[in-house]
Amino acid sequence: MSESIVPPEVRPKPAVPAKPPHVAVPSPTAPHGPSGIGGGVGVDRVPGLGHSGGGSTLLGYIGIDTIIEQMRKKTMKAGFDFNIMIVGHSGLGKSTLVNTLFKSQVSRWSSGWGGEHKIPKTVEIKAVSHVIEEGGVKMKLTVIDTPGFGDQINNENCWDPISKYINEQYEKFLKEEVNIARKKRIPDTRVHCCLYFISPTGHSLRQLDIEFMKHLSRVVNIIPVIAKSDTMTPDEKNEFKHRVRKELETYGIEYYPQNEFDDDMEDKNENDKIREAMPFAVVGSDKEFQVNGKRVLGRKTAWGVVEVENPNHCEFALLRDFLIRSHLQDLKEVTHNIHYETYRARRLNDNGGLHPISANNTQESNL
């Protein structure tokens, strides 16, 4: 019959201790039966302490959990990159929505790009970067706009320049990786997320929408959103969202978060709720109005103010929380581990391996 080990007294430990606190050792007089420490199996867990790979209990606080704080400090010092692409035909409020998401003037129009807002004759790629800081955390945000997309009479293959740009960023990162004199931190210009703006027609997806998402979902994380959703009634909006989801399923278009990338049941349950709510029906505005004594972002109409961050008015808050507060890091990881690795494997397989590039032959282009 096995006898239980007398658990040691465990004193509370600080979040980030300067040195390990004293922890009492189990009584040496406590006998060790088959389930005791000496038996090597069925070791009783000591509350608050872990186990080593050999199966013995930790007799004191080590400080393994401080790795999180170490990582946090390192990240705060270095900052991080996030690159978001916005795609959709003109007039859907793309720049306004991005400004609303990040509560700052980060779009190309806000940055003074192109004095006159003329529609380009072909699809162009325009990127503008800003460093924004919140709570001591710095983020280099790059917004990539695609003026001219979907605005022509003939929009055949108008996604090609966008696909080319995305692959060029993968190629740039790959070449930096195989350099002999590699940089300590490779600049990351890869597109982590593509917000695709769907017109609020209330009917169905356009053929261009289907073709774009079908081609680009293989190389980038696509998040479809219904723009200017305040132009539809709640019933029209819900019916349109349901119809769009069915069409995406019918045409085999995968959008982020993809089912096969769910790590475990917790991720699956969380992502299933998000997938059921997509595409997010959103409204963007950088103008403030007084509502019930509070200043809110919104769009003023003849019958009142559409509040951007009010979940009863639109799903902007859902999109913001999903994109920034819960899945931003995962977007970066899926980009690196799935989309970039797929491109990298194909390139190395096609070329029989890339030759290392000397520092003299490497050219760096700034967006």
Side-chain angles (χ1 to χ4, degrees), residues 62-327:
I62 296 176
I64 298 172
D65 55 355
T66 64
I67 187 65
I68 303 300
E69 178 65 13
Q70 295 171 43
M71 291 167 65
R72 188 187 72 84
K73 285 183 177 179
K74 237 178 146 55
T75 302
M76 287 185 69
K77 281 183 182 179
F80 64 98
D81 303 305
F82 186 62
N83 309 315
I84 181 170
M85 175 178 275
I86 50 178
V87 182
H89 68 75
S90 59
L92 290 179
K94 301 186 295 295
S95 298
T96 301
L97 182 71
V98 172
N99 289 341
T100 312
L101 276 171
F102 295 99
K103 294 188 182 293
S104 55
Q105 302 295 308
V106 295
S107 74
R108 62 193 178 93
W109 298 126
S110 306
S111 304
W113 178 86
E116 297 181 2
H117 298 186
K118 292 181 179 179
I119 297 174
K121 293 182 179 179
T122 58
V123 177
E124 299 178 359
I125 309 294
K126 299 292 181 181
V128 60
S129 297
H130 297 268
V131 175
I132 57 181
E133 183 174 351
E134 183 181 46
V137 179
K138 292 181 181 179
M139 178 174 76
K140 181 185 176 184
L141 173 69
T142 299
V143 180
I144 304 110
D145 202 350
T146 55
F149 177 84
D151 294 326
Q152 315 305 320
I153 296 174
N154 181 5
N155 290 301
E156 186 178 1
N157 297 330
C158 66
W159 53 82
D160 283 348
I162 298 171
S163 178
K164 180 183 176 184
Y165 176 87
I166 292 170
N167 286 321
E168 281 175 350
Q169 308 319 304
Y170 291 148
E171 182 70 15
K172 185 187 295 185
F173 196 89
L174 178 58
K175 285 183 176 178
E176 289 284 359
E177 274 195 331
V178 300
N179 275 347
I180 293 174
R182 190 159 71 170
K183 295 177 181 176
K184 183 179 178 181
R185 185 183 180 195
I186 299 175
D188 190 2
T189 60
R190 296 169 298 180
V191 179
H192 300 125
C193 167
C194 174
L195 284 183
Y196 186 75
F197 287 70
I198 299 169
S199 298
T201 62
H203 301 297
S204 61
L205 292 173
R206 300 178 302 166
Q207 189 61 35
L208 176 60
D209 300 329
I210 294 167
E211 291 299 326
F212 174 87
M213 287 189 277
K214 189 185 291 185
H215 283 83
L216 271 294
S217 62
R218 303 166 190 159
V219 296
V220 71
N221 296 315
I222 288 184
I223 299 177
V225 296
I226 299 172
K228 295 188 174 180
S229 65
D230 55 324
T231 59
M232 296 184 288
T233 67
D235 288 341
E236 289 172 340
K237 181 178 67 179
N238 292 331
E239 188 177 334
F240 187 44
K241 280 163 60 78
H242 177 72
R243 192 176 297 123
V244 169
R245 282 197 299 270
K246 291 295 289 182
E247 286 186 277
L248 292 173
E249 182 182 349
T250 299
Y251 289 101
I253 297 170
E254 294 188 349
Y255 51 90
Y256 182 86
Q258 300 89 334
N259 282 287
E260 64 266 34
F261 301 153
D262 294 339
D263 291 332
D264 49 40
M265 282 306 297
E266 183 182 356
D267 275 356
K268 185 180 185 310
N269 292 335
E270 181 183 357
N271 289 337
D272 278 346
K273 293 176 183 177
I274 294 168
R275 286 186 280 261
E276 288 170 8
M278 294 177 80
F280 297 112
V282 297
V283 175
S285 175
D286 49 13
K287 294 181 180 178
E288 287 189 339
F289 297 94
Q290 194 85 11
V291 177
N292 297 327
K294 295 169 62 177
R295 302 291 295 178
V296 298
L297 289 172
R299 281 164 53 94
K300 192 169 185 179
T301 66
W303 52 89
V305 175
V306 179
E307 299 174 39
V308 168
E309 297 182 281
N310 186 335
N312 295 321
H313 291 189
C314 75
E315 295 169 340
F316 170 83
L318 285 176
L319 173 64
R320 179 203 57 208
D321 292 352
F322 162 62
L323 185 64
I324 301 172
R325 301 181 182 181
S326 66
H327 282 69

